[in-house]
Amino acid sequence: MADGSSIEWTEATWNPTTGCDRVSEGCDNCYALTLAKRLKAMGAAKYQTDGNPKTSGPGFGVAIHPDSLALPHRWRQSRLVFVNSMSDLFHARVPVGFIRDVLAVIAETPQHTYQMLTKRSLRLRRMADRLEWPQNLWMGVSVENEGQLERVDHLREVPAAVRFISAEPLLGPLLGLSLDGIGWVITGGESGPRARPCAVDWVRDIRDNCAAADVPFFHKQWGGIRPKSLGRELDGRTYDAMPVRPVAVTAD
């Protein structure tokens, strides 16, 4: 687990699984894939499983880490925790039993609020009624363009306390986006040496959609060579709205 995350909308990260495979355009310049290759070369134990070179890469094969399940219990102070910044818990190679184990840890540590994202929304929807959903878990889907709006429809069927959308990297407009049942939206441009541009009007439309639906809106970045290259302001201001977090409780 890493404290003090540089991700603007969270405070820490926890990776009980690592590794993934590309499934759509938003994955093309995946930061986690590049980082995993570096971590493998450094000898990091979690990143020694290689993935399919066509869809993954060195150190980025899917691996589960049961020894990481205990980590959230060691943090007594309340934190906002992003689950699997380096993976996707709903990847087909993650056993259902291990997904249940992760959710159980979340339920056992109500002093923290957890955020989880997936691009595997169909698997998420299909198993949703077989899982226990802790009240301190926010469940989200990544949506990079209109071709992936079906992920939002799948998410609406999940009984999570907060359902949210991460439109990052935003690669096109989301003109058909309905926010029924959605409690938060994040937007962001891509970063890195091959960053694709994010148009201001795409973000404005999402912001205005959120305002009309009374949904908290968070614009993370415009991207560029580095995440902060082009700043965060939209029309002269920053947007940092988030859902209301549960009142922090002390773990037993």
Side-chain angles (χ1 to χ4, degrees):
M1 188 184 284
D3 203 355
S5 172
S6 62
I7 302 170
E8 286 82 354
W9 44 261
T10 200
E11 297 169 353
T13 57
W14 173 43
N15 283 284
T17 71
T18 54
C20 202
D21 289 276
R22 297 182 183 92
V23 292
S24 62
E25 292 174 71
C27 305
D28 288 349
N29 298 322
C30 178
Y31 76 91
L33 188 154
T34 301
L35 180 56
K37 181 179 180 180
R38 189 181 313 140
L39 290 169
K40 174 184 171 69
M42 293 169 59
K46 278 188 171 184
Y47 300 93
Q48 297 306 309
T49 301
D50 292 342
N52 185 325
K54 293 182 179 179
T55 59
S56 184
F60 207 50
V62 175
I64 64 171
H65 305 287
D67 57 335
S68 293
L69 290 173
L71 290 175
H73 289 280
R74 300 174 188 168
W75 283 7
R76 298 297 173 180
Q77 184 177 348
S78 174
R79 283 168 171 79
L80 197 57
V81 182
F82 180 27
V83 183
N84 279 354
S85 60
M86 296 292 291
S87 188
D88 187 331
L89 191 67
F90 290 90
H91 191 289
R93 293 181 62 191
V94 179
V96 175
F98 193 74
I99 295 173
R100 291 193 177 110
D101 290 344
V102 171
L103 297 186
V105 171
I106 292 172
E108 292 161 3
T109 52
Q111 69 271 30
H112 307 313
T113 299
Y114 294 83
Q115 304 152 309
M116 189 182 298
L117 279 170
T118 185
K119 289 185 174 72
R120 275 86 177 170
S121 60
L122 183 58
R123 189 179 190 219
L124 167 69
R125 189 204 72 187
R126 286 174 171 170
M127 68 171 56
D129 61 357
R130 293 185 282 148
L131 301 174
E132 297 291 332
W133 291 92
Q135 288 301 300
N136 57 328
L137 171 61
W138 301 353
M139 187 70 229
V141 292
S142 298
V143 179
E144 64 263 36
N145 54 37
E146 286 184 311
Q148 304 304 330
L149 285 177
E150 185 180 38
R151 293 173 183 166
V152 184
D153 294 329
H154 295 159
L155 178 64
R156 267 187 270 272
E157 299 185 40
V158 177
V162 173
R163 293 179 288 265
F164 72 100
I165 297 166
S166 174
E168 184 190 5
L170 185 59
L171 303 178
L174 300 183
L175 300 179
L177 175 63
S178 166
L179 295 177
D180 290 345
I182 303 303
W184 187 31
V185 177
I186 304 164
T187 56
E190 192 169 49
S191 60
R194 296 184 297 276
R196 292 161 285 186
C198 178
V200 174
D201 284 346
W202 302 343
V203 179
R204 282 196 185 114
D205 286 340
I206 296 171
R207 176 199 62 189
D208 295 347
N209 192 1
C210 288
D214 196 24
V215 171
F217 171 71
F218 192 111
H219 182 55
K220 178 174 174 281
Q221 64 185 41
W222 288 108
I225 296 297
R226 287 176 282 278
K228 295 178 173 59
S229 293
L230 301 176
R232 294 188 56 216
E233 287 193 357
L234 169 62
D235 294 334
R237 59 161 289 189
T238 57
Y239 288 85
D240 296 303
M242 299 182 70
V244 176
R245 292 167 64 174
V247 176
V249 296
T250 303
D252 293 335

